[in-house]
Amino acid sequence: QVQLVESGGGLVQAGGSLRLSCAASGRTFSTYHMGWFRQAPGKQREFVAAISWSGGSIYYADSVKERFTISRENAKNTVYLQMNSLKPEDTAVYYCAADPYSELHSGPWNYWGQGIQVTVSS
């Protein structure tokens, strides 16, 4: 199993940037595919980005392409989400997810962090 803890959220003005981090416990992090999801108030949780265990495959939601970048450092058991050109509609709770067998853009994702708030003001 793996435990996930997100950090780096907060309040930023539109057009600004934030970098989210997700630290994973356990010695098998490098075997897990990793993903980021978000849930805005009153909306369902949606896929944002995913990266394979090796970093060789990456997927993005259309809404964040060319603005967000997912990356990972297996030596640090950490996955990142660099968010640039943020928009008010990016406001949501962001969740980190992990799974060794995920198909990335289609799941499944069996391990989740507690989530972290990102608020983009206009």
Side-chain angles (χ1 to χ4, degrees):
Q1 288 193 353
V2 61
Q3 293 183 322
L4 307 171
V5 179
E6 301 96 338
S7 62
L11 174 64
V12 63
Q13 288 189 331
S17 298
L18 280 175
R19 188 176 81 157
L20 303 182
S21 300
C22 173
S25 65
R27 292 175 290 180
T28 58
F29 174 78
S30 62
T31 66
Y32 282 76
H33 304 309
M34 301 297 297
W36 286 98
F37 291 75
R38 67 186 182 186
Q39 187 168 18
K43 296 187 177 181
Q44 289 189 331
R45 186 161 55 190
E46 64 175 0
F47 170 80
V48 173
I51 186 168
S52 63
W53 65 270
S54 67
S57 294
I58 290 175
Y59 292 89
Y60 294 101
D62 288 343
S63 59
V64 306
K65 277 181 182 177
E66 301 192 17
R67 297 190 299 123
F68 290 11
T69 303
I70 189 171
S71 61
R72 65 188 296 159
E73 285 190 77
N74 287 343
K76 294 185 178 181
N77 281 16
T78 302
V79 62
Y80 305 99
L81 185 68
Q82 178 67 44
M83 306 185 294
N84 298 329
S85 302
L86 282 161
K87 305 175 181 179
E89 52 263 44
D90 294 318
T91 295
V93 177
Y94 283 71
Y95 296 90
C96 176
D99 197 281
Y101 306 111
S102 177
E103 295 293 330
L104 299 183
H105 60 292
S106 59
W109 299 98
N110 286 305
Y111 301 98
W112 294 86
Q114 80 287 353
I116 193 163
Q117 179 70 44
V118 171
T119 302
V120 184
S121 63
S122 57

